[in-house]
């Protein structure tokens, strides 16, 4: 798959406001936040879209979600609540083709999303 800007963030070639990292997952603040808290959780192993994920990557996908939930708890807003979203392809609104979980918090979210 072609490189994305997120590969450069993983390699520290471009700056990002990194808030969490472990062996498998990196999380950094979205450059164009849509909520008071807007963090992207990405796997260090790139997967272009959710359509490209395979069963061998189930653990990695689980790590992504658990990293977001763990960070929300550590930050103290988990009880108030938050939203996690993964956009897929054009109709989903995906613009960067390295899967990422958006964690949005700090305000009440509307439903349905636009
Ligand atoms: P999506 O539209 O779901 O693919 O989300 C891509 C997200 O990446 C958008 O919310 C962008 O604002 C964000 N983004 C793009 N470039 C950067 C960057 N260099 N640092 C942080 N966030 C970025």
């Amino acid at each position: 798959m072609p490189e994305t800007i997120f590969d450069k963030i993983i390699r520290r070639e471009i700056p990002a406001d990194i808030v969490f990292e472990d062996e498998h997952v990196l999380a950094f603040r979205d450059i164009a936040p849509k909520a008071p808290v807007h963090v992207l959780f990405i796997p260090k192993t790139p997967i272009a879209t959710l359509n490209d994920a395979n069963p061998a990557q189930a653990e990695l996908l689980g790590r992504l979600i658990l990293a977001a939930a763990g960070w929300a708890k550590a930050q103290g807003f988990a009880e108030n609540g938050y939203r996690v979203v993964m956009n897929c392809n054009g109709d989903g609104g995906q613009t960067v083709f390295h899967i990422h979980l958006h964690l949005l918090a700090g305000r009440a979210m509307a439903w349905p999303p636009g």
Side-chain angles (χ1 to χ4, degrees), residues 63-102:
R63 286 180 183 279
L64 211 57
I65 297 169
L66 291 174
W71 190 77
K73 287 178 195 162
Q75 293 296 302
F77 59 76
E79 287 303 319
N80 277 355
Y82 55 91
R83 179 169 293 169
V84 291
V85 176
M86 188 178 287
N87 298 325
C88 183
N89 278 341
D91 280 2
Q94 185 174 9
T95 58
V96 178
F97 290 86
H98 178 140
I99 62 165
H100 46 281
L101 200 61
H102 295 258

Side-chain angles (χ1 to χ4, degrees), residues 5-6 9 14-16 28-34 38 40 86-87 92-97 100 102:
I5 196 155
F6 291 175
I9 290 175
I14 62 166
F28 50 89
R29 293 191 193 276
D30 197 293
I31 203 166
K34 305 297 186 289
H38 187 174
L40 304 175
M86 188 178 287
N87 298 325
Q94 185 174 9
T95 58
V96 178
F97 290 86
H100 46 281
H102 295 258

